[in-house]
Amino acid sequence: MAWFELLFAAEVALGGLLSGVMYALVAIGFVLIYKTSGVLNFAQGSMVLFAALTFVSLVERGVPFWGAVAATLAVMTALGFAIERTVLRPLANRSPMTLFMATLGLSYVIEGAAQLIWGTQVHRLDLGISNAPFQVWGLYLSTFDLVAAGIAAAMVAALTAFFRFTHTGLAFRAVADDQFAALAVGLRLGRIWGTVWTAAGVVALVAGLLWGARLGVQFSLSLIVLKALPVLVLGGFDSILGAIVAGLVIGATEKLAEVYIGPFFGGGIEGWFAYAVALVVLLLRPSGLFGQKIVERY
């Protein structure tokens, strides 16, 4: 019996880890924007929805899979540069709260545009990835979740290499450290911000395809942004690695809490447990596990 209980706990934790990867995919988009501009982009969830709607609508109109991917990437690139030109550039050097409110308003504009262009019906999205479970060492794993984990790992590796070993990535890091110094040495801030919003759009496309295949492409898809917030608090707003680690931690702990603690609260603990963890982290370590500590001198 003890072995069975241990196996069950491992299966619950592993399922939570794989779900946490999906949370981390959304959180990475937040990190990209915050890392270079200091803006908490509340429109990331709407960008996920817009990317998924664009892709699935093109596929439904007969566009081949990779053609739809290329077209959606082009749309998200144009959206990224449009956001930089119409929202960020006019609000440059404004307070973080002003920029946050701008992205909050932007999220409603993007959702409204998506509704105007693609309609409000729910779309079924099939990526050709089986969701059938298979057994490994007595544990049942989902093929879809494993593929999502592999995609997330590849994306993190690519983004890490990009930030460390490319000139554009170094420019991103320079802007993140000191925008005025970056301007002083000749870096074009507008182009860098446009590029990073485009990168966030690419991340939104990947997250939108995976979440859309799991939940269906519908307007509630934009609400997954709320699941990314505890991940950001725990991992740190400026750490890609932190987003992945925190996503895994949040995913596993909320599943385990639902199974082992939930019965004492009448169930439903999975919906709010991650936020309780985030609140504790804010009290003990406001910068998160991997976030950069900000030291201010007066």
Side-chain angles (χ1 to χ4, degrees):
M1 182 63 69
W3 170 250
F4 174 78
E5 291 178 354
L6 182 62
L7 189 65
F8 175 73
E11 190 171 311
V12 171
L14 187 57
L17 289 173
L18 295 176
S19 295
V21 170
M22 300 286 283
Y23 302 157
L25 280 174
V26 183
I28 288 173
F30 278 93
V31 171
L32 285 174
I33 301 297
Y34 189 85
K35 194 176 181 68
T36 55
S37 61
V39 177
L40 179 59
N41 176 30
F42 205 80
Q44 187 66 27
S46 299
M47 292 173 67
V48 170
L49 169 67
F50 192 87
L53 274 175
T54 302
F55 174 85
V56 74
S57 298
L58 291 173
V59 170
E60 289 175 350
R61 284 164 173 77
V63 179
F65 179 88
W66 290 110
V69 170
T72 306
L73 284 175
V75 169
M76 298 308 293
T77 298
L79 179 63
F81 277 93
I83 289 172
E84 187 280 325
R85 179 61 62 90
T86 60
V87 178
L88 284 184
R89 189 173 297 186
L91 295 177
N93 300 323
R94 298 295 180 90
S95 68
M97 180 56 69
T98 299
L99 293 170
F100 169 73
M101 293 304 297
T103 65
L104 183 60
L106 182 64
S107 69
Y108 288 99
V109 172
I110 294 175
E111 284 192 34
Q115 181 175 344
L116 181 66
I117 297 171
W118 306 120
T120 58
Q121 66 271 24
V122 179
H123 301 263
R124 180 177 179 271
L125 177 56
D126 183 9
L127 299 179
I129 305 173
S130 173
N131 198 29
F134 63 94
Q135 193 173 16
V136 178
W137 296 331
L139 300 175
Y140 285 93
L141 305 177
S142 166
T143 303
F144 183 89
D145 287 342
L146 287 177
V147 171
I151 292 173
M155 182 178 294
V156 169
L159 289 173
T160 301
F162 174 78
F163 274 103
R164 289 190 177 183
F165 303 116
T166 67
H167 291 294
T168 305
L170 292 174
F172 283 179
R173 293 168 62 187
V175 171
D177 289 338
D178 193 324
Q179 294 182 12
F180 294 105
L183 286 171
V185 298
L187 294 179
R188 300 182 64 177
L189 195 58
R191 178 178 295 179
I192 291 172
W193 277 355
T195 304
V196 78
W197 275 83
T198 300
V202 173
V203 173
L205 171 59
V206 175
L209 293 182
L210 294 174
W211 275 102
R214 170 178 278 186
L215 303 176
V217 181
Q218 52 190 313
F219 275 80
S220 62
L221 200 63
S222 62
L223 297 179
I224 62 173
V225 66
L226 300 177
K227 295 296 277 185
L229 294 179
V231 175
L232 291 168
V233 171
L234 179 61
F237 283 83
D238 57 357
S239 173
I240 294 174
L241 175 61
I244 290 293
V245 174
L248 296 176
V249 172
I250 292 293
T253 54
E254 71 176 10
K255 294 292 185 185
L256 290 169
E258 177 66 29
V259 171
Y260 293 104
I261 304 177
F264 297 101
F265 292 88
I269 190 175
E270 185 177 350
W272 56 264
F273 185 79
Y275 297 94
V277 173
L279 179 59
V280 173
V281 172
L282 281 175
L283 293 173
L284 300 178
R285 190 180 175 87
S287 59
L289 299 178
F290 295 87
Q292 182 179 1
K293 292 184 179 180
I294 300 176
V295 178
E296 297 182 355
R297 294 180 174 86
Y298 297 95

